[in-house]
Amino acid sequence: MLAFFKDESGATAIEYGLIAALIAVAIIGAATTLGSETSTAFNTVSDAIDGAT
């Protein structure tokens, strides 16, 4: 019974899960920002091409 309370393998799995979740949030945030900046850049190029014609 005492060995059950000393077992910390579940806590390690939870820690790895939290780290993976934080990395996923960082990736989603970076992709969202990059997507917005890319969209703005494409719109700027598109407007420049439309103005040239």
Side-chain angles (χ1 to χ4, degrees):
M1 183 82 169
L2 189 59
F4 175 75
F5 289 112
K6 288 186 176 183
D7 185 18
E8 295 182 2
S9 61
T12 303
I14 291 171
E15 289 169 356
Y16 283 130
L18 289 172
I19 291 169
L22 289 173
I23 291 171
V25 168
I27 290 171
I28 291 169
T32 302
T33 302
L34 182 62
S36 297
E37 291 179 9
T38 303
S39 177
T40 302
F42 280 128
N43 287 334
T44 302
V45 171
S46 176
D47 292 343
I49 292 172
D50 287 341
T53 55

